[in-house]
Amino acid sequence: MGLVGGLLGFAVGLPIGVAVALIVYLRFVAPCRRLQDPVIRPLRDLDSETLQTTMPDIPLWVKSPDYDRVDWINKFICDMWPFLDKAICNTIRSAIRPTFDQYVGQYGTESIEFGRLTLGALPPTFQGIKVYEMQEKELVIEPVIRWASIANVTVKAKVHSILVSAQLVDLHIMLTPRVTLKPLVPSFPCFANLCVSLMEKPRVDFGFKLLGGDLMAIPGLHRFVQEQISKEIAKLYHWPKLIQIPILDEASGAAKKPVGILHVNVIRAMNLLKMDLLGKSDPYVKLRLSGEKLPSKKTSIKMNNLNPEWNENFRFVVKDPETQILELRMFDWEKVKMHDKLGMQVIPLRLLNPYESKLFTLDLLKSMDPNDPHNKKNRGKLVVELTFDPFRDDNNSNILMSDGEGNVSVKRDVPPSGGLLVVSVENAEDVEGKRHTNPYALVLFRGEKKETKAIKKTRDPRWNEEFQFMVDEAPVDEKIHIEVRSRRRGLLPIRNKESLGHVDINLVDVVNNGRINQKYHLINSRNGKIHVEIRWSTV
C-alpha cells in the first residue's frame, strides 16, 4: 500500500506543483522580465571594449564613405521575397532534376526527390553598395550581402527500398561580390551580361541533418566543413576569376551578331585509355563552342578501339573569335551506366587565322585545372583541324581581317562560298483558327524545320525568336517557307494542329541586299500578317 500511495501522490502532486509554479511565475516573475525599450547610446559614449565588440555589426555605409545606404533595395527585396522564394525554388527543382535522374538505377537507387524546398521567410539584406565610376559600356558595383536564412531543403532518396533523408537548415552567408553589368544597351534591363566575382572569401554556415541526426554537431567537423566550402567557392569565383551570366538573348538585339563560321574536322585519336574490363574503349567526341546555348555536337562511336579514326566535319557559328573557345570532350560509350570520361581539351579561336586551316594535336587532360594532379597521367592524343571563315564585308569579295591587336586589314579576291542565313520571326497579327488559337511559327528551309514556342490563346503572338541555317551556296533561286500554326495541348493527335496561314519568301533580294525586314500577308488567312527579318552573310 505504501508503494501505491506514493505513486498516487506523485501523479496528483506533480500537475498541481507545475500549475502553482506557473501561476507564481506569471504573477511575480514575468512582469519583472518584460522587454524594455532599448537604450540607445551614441558611439562616442561607448568604452573601447564595447566599441570593439560592436564594430563588426555596424553597417559599411556608416564605417566607410565609399559605401551607400540602400534601404530601398532591401525593402523591395523584402516585399518581393515570397514570390522570389517560390520562383528560385522552382528553378532549383527543374535544374537539379536531370542530375537526380542520372543516379536513379545506380547503386540500388530507386528514386531521388526533394521532400521540402524553401529558402525561408527572411530575405538577404544589402549592408551597403560601393559604385565605381561608370564607364561608357559597363557599370561596376560591389555590394555587401548578408543572409541569415531559415532555409529548409530536404532531399529524400530510396536505396534498396530504404528511405534515406538529408536536410539542410539554417543557412547563413556573407558575401562581398563585385558585379559588372556589361555591355550597357538601350533595351530593358539595360545590360546584356552579368559578371560576378568575389572580392573576399565568403563565410558560409549551415546545419546538415542525415537520418534525423545533425552531423554539424560532431566536434571539429563543423569548422572543417565550413572552411572547405568557403575555400572551394573562393577557388572558383575569387577575383580575378568570374562567372558570366547572360541576361539578354539574341532576340533582344543586344547579343553579338555572327561574324563567321568555324569548320572543325575531327580526324583521329591515339593511345586512349582502356576503360572496359573485358575489351577496349568505345570512344566518341562531343564538341561545343563557348558562349552558345545550343546542344553539343557529337561524332560517331568507334567500338572497341583505342586508336579511332573519324574524319567527321562540323560547323559552328562564331560571334567573338577573340574570346570564344572550342571545347572537346571525349567519352567512353556505355550501354547501361553513365559514359566514362576519357579526357578533354580546349582551343581558343584567337589562335586561328582567317581562311587558313590549322592542325592541332592535343594531349587529353582530366580537367582544365592546371593544379589537378590527374593531368600528369597520359590519356592519349586527339587530332583535329580547324578553319575559321569570316563573313565578307558588304556582301562582296572583300574580307575584314584582324591581327589580334586591333589592326584591321582587307583581304581581296576570296573565292565565293556559302554563308549563314539568319531568320528572325518577330510577331504575327490577326491570326485566328477555327477550333483553337495557340499560334507558333514553323520555318522550313531545304528540308530543315525549326519552330518557335507556342503562345496560348492570342491572335497577336510575339515570338522574337531567331534561327540559323548554314549553307554551302548562296540561295539565290530558293524560297523559305514560314507557316503559322495552332497547337492544341493535352488532347489526341486528331485535329491537334491547324494551319493559320503561310508565306513563301524569295531569297534573291536577301542575297543581293544582305537583309530584308518587312511584314507579309499570310496566304489562306483572312487578315493575318507576319513580321520577319532575314539576314544573309557570305563567307
Side-chain angles (χ1 to χ4, degrees):
M1 291 296 294
L3 178 61
V4 174
L7 293 175
L8 290 176
F10 178 79
V12 175
L14 180 61
I16 295 176
V18 171
V20 172
L22 179 62
I23 293 173
V24 172
Y25 175 81
L26 295 177
R27 179 67 181 84
F28 299 102
V29 180
C32 300
R33 301 186 61 180
R34 287 176 182 170
L35 294 176
Q36 304 294 328
D37 292 334
V39 178
I40 301 175
R41 299 171 58 189
L43 293 177
R44 62 176 179 269
D45 294 343
L46 300 179
D47 57 80
S48 59
E49 183 178 353
T50 306
L51 184 61
Q52 190 67 26
T53 306
T54 308
M55 283 300 292
D57 297 324
I58 297 177
L60 276 175
W61 56 267
V62 175
K63 296 185 288 187
S64 174
D66 294 336
Y67 285 85
D68 298 322
R69 183 176 181 178
V70 285
D71 290 342
W72 64 274
I73 293 182
N74 292 327
K75 185 179 185 306
F76 174 77
I77 294 177
C78 183
D79 294 339
M80 289 292 296
W81 186 246
F83 308 99
L84 292 174
D85 178 24
K86 185 176 180 181
I88 294 172
C89 290
N90 289 337
T91 302
I92 293 175
R93 288 181 185 274
S94 60
I96 300 298
R97 183 75 266 172
T99 304
F100 285 171
D101 293 340
Q102 290 181 359
Y103 293 96
V104 174
Q106 299 185 27
Y107 314 110
T109 305
E110 300 176 12
S111 64
I112 306 177
E113 59 184 12
F114 284 106
R116 180 173 175 79
L117 177 58
T118 177
L119 302 181
L122 299 178
T125 59
F126 286 78
Q127 300 292 309
I129 288 183
K130 180 179 180 181
V131 181
Y132 288 83
E133 182 178 355
M134 183 164 50
Q135 301 179 14
E136 183 179 356
K137 296 184 179 180
E138 66 180 32
L139 176 64
V140 181
I141 59 177
E142 284 186 10
V144 177
I145 304 173
R146 286 189 178 181
W147 187 22
S149 76
I150 50 176
N152 187 352
V153 181
T154 304
V155 177
K156 296 182 179 180
K158 183 177 287 188
V159 182
H160 296 295
S161 301
I162 300 175
L163 187 63
V164 181
S165 65
Q167 185 180 17
L168 177 70
V169 295
D170 298 334
L171 179 63
H172 294 184
I173 300 176
M174 183 172 180
L175 300 173
T176 307
R178 172 175 290 177
V179 182
T180 304
L181 312 178
K182 66 176 184 180
L184 302 181
V185 296
S187 57
F188 183 82
C190 301
F191 57 92
N193 294 286
L194 188 69
C195 302
V196 182
S197 59
L198 299 178
M199 304 308 295
E200 297 178 2
K201 188 166 71 172
R203 302 178 188 175
V204 182
D205 191 11
F206 59 90
F208 185 75
K209 297 182 179 180
L210 185 63
L211 300 176
D214 190 357
L215 296 182
M216 296 298 102
I218 299 177
L221 180 62
H222 175 264
R223 182 176 293 276
F224 173 76
V225 172
Q226 187 180 26
E227 287 295 326
Q228 288 299 315
I229 291 178
S230 298
K231 185 184 298 183
E232 292 302 321
I233 295 176
K235 283 183 181 179
L236 294 174
Y237 305 121
H238 200 286
W239 187 88
K241 298 180 181 179
L242 57 85
I243 177 174
Q244 183 169 334
I245 305 171
I247 302 299
L248 296 179
D249 56 12
E250 295 179 6
S252 66
K256 293 183 177 180
K257 300 297 182 182
V259 297
I261 294 178
L262 176 68
H263 300 266
V264 182
N265 180 16
V266 182
I267 301 176
R268 69 176 68 88
M270 300 168 289
N271 302 322
L272 299 179
L273 292 178
K274 180 179 179 295
M275 304 298 291
D276 296 337
L277 181 62
L278 300 179
K280 299 180 182 179
S281 296
D282 308 320
Y284 70 93
V285 182
K286 295 179 70 173
L287 305 91
R288 177 182 174 273
L289 198 60
S290 64
E292 294 291 341
K293 299 180 181 179
L294 301 175
S296 300
K297 299 182 179 183
K298 296 189 293 185
T299 66
S300 59
I301 302 170
K302 300 298 181 181
M303 305 299 292
N304 198 29
N305 198 331
L306 299 182
N307 297 280
E309 291 192 12
W310 288 282
N311 285 313
E312 298 181 12
N313 296 290
F314 303 89
R315 293 186 294 183
F316 298 88
V317 177
V318 179
K319 296 180 180 177
D320 189 355
E322 294 298 323
T323 61
Q324 285 185 289
I325 61 174
L326 177 67
E327 301 175 2
L328 301 145
R329 300 176 185 270
M330 187 174 295
F331 294 86
D332 174 34
W333 180 84
E334 297 290 345
K335 187 175 182 180
V336 179
K337 63 178 183 177
M338 293 181 62
H339 299 180
D340 296 323
K341 297 179 181 179
L342 291 174
M344 66 171 298
Q345 257 298 356
V346 298
I347 303 176
L349 300 192
R350 64 175 179 271
L351 301 178
L352 304 176
N353 295 323
Y355 285 96
E356 293 183 8
S357 298
K358 190 169 184 178
L359 193 67
F360 292 87
T361 302
L362 309 170
D363 292 319
L364 294 174
L365 304 176
K366 173 69 173 179
S367 68
M368 297 313 299
D369 183 0
N371 299 321
D372 191 344
H374 296 94
N375 287 337
K376 297 180 180 180
K377 183 178 181 180
N378 183 16
R379 298 177 173 271
K381 297 179 182 294
L382 177 64
V383 181
V384 295
E385 184 181 36
L386 273 60
T387 307
F388 172 54
D389 293 342
F391 294 140
R392 301 182 189 179
D393 181 35
D394 295 331
N395 204 43
N396 55 32
S397 60
N398 297 337
I399 300 298
L400 289 180
M401 299 180 59
S402 174
D403 60 2
E405 299 179 357
N407 301 319
V408 178
S409 60
V410 177
K411 183 176 181 180
R412 304 182 183 277
D413 301 327
V414 178
S417 59
L420 179 70
L421 188 69
V422 180
V423 182
S424 298
V425 184
E426 305 293 341
N427 64 289
E429 300 174 1
D430 295 328
V431 293
E432 185 174 4
K434 295 180 180 179
R435 307 176 188 89
H436 45 79
T437 305
N438 304 314
Y440 69 98
L442 170 69
V443 181
L444 178 62
F445 178 68
R446 291 188 175 181
E448 186 175 358
K449 293 182 180 180
K450 298 181 183 291
E451 294 182 359
T452 68
K453 60 181 178 292
I455 302 180
K456 296 181 179 179
K457 299 179 181 179
T458 178
R459 296 179 56 190
D460 302 299
R462 180 171 293 276
W463 297 290
N464 290 327
E465 294 192 34
E466 183 177 286
F467 305 105
Q468 299 174 349
F469 301 89
M470 285 183 284
V471 295
D472 296 326
E473 296 179 353
V476 178
D477 300 323
E478 298 186 56
K479 296 181 180 181
I480 189 167
H481 178 83
I482 302 178
E483 183 176 355
V484 180
R485 294 181 177 180
S486 177
R487 178 185 292 126
R488 179 182 294 173
R489 297 178 177 273
L491 298 176
L492 295 176
I494 302 176
R495 294 183 178 180
N496 192 30
K497 297 180 181 179
E498 179 182 349
S499 177
L500 307 183
H502 70 274
V503 61
D504 293 312
I505 304 174
N506 292 314
L507 297 178
V508 59
D509 291 337
V510 181
V511 175
N512 293 333
N513 301 322
R515 175 179 176 268
I516 61 171
N517 186 353
Q518 64 184 62
K519 291 183 180 180
Y520 297 89
H521 289 277
L522 293 171
I523 302 174
N524 296 333
S525 176
R526 181 181 303 175
N527 299 312
K529 299 179 182 178
I530 187 168
H531 182 198
V532 179
E533 180 184 9
I534 306 178
R535 300 189 302 274
W536 168 250
S537 301
T538 307
V539 295

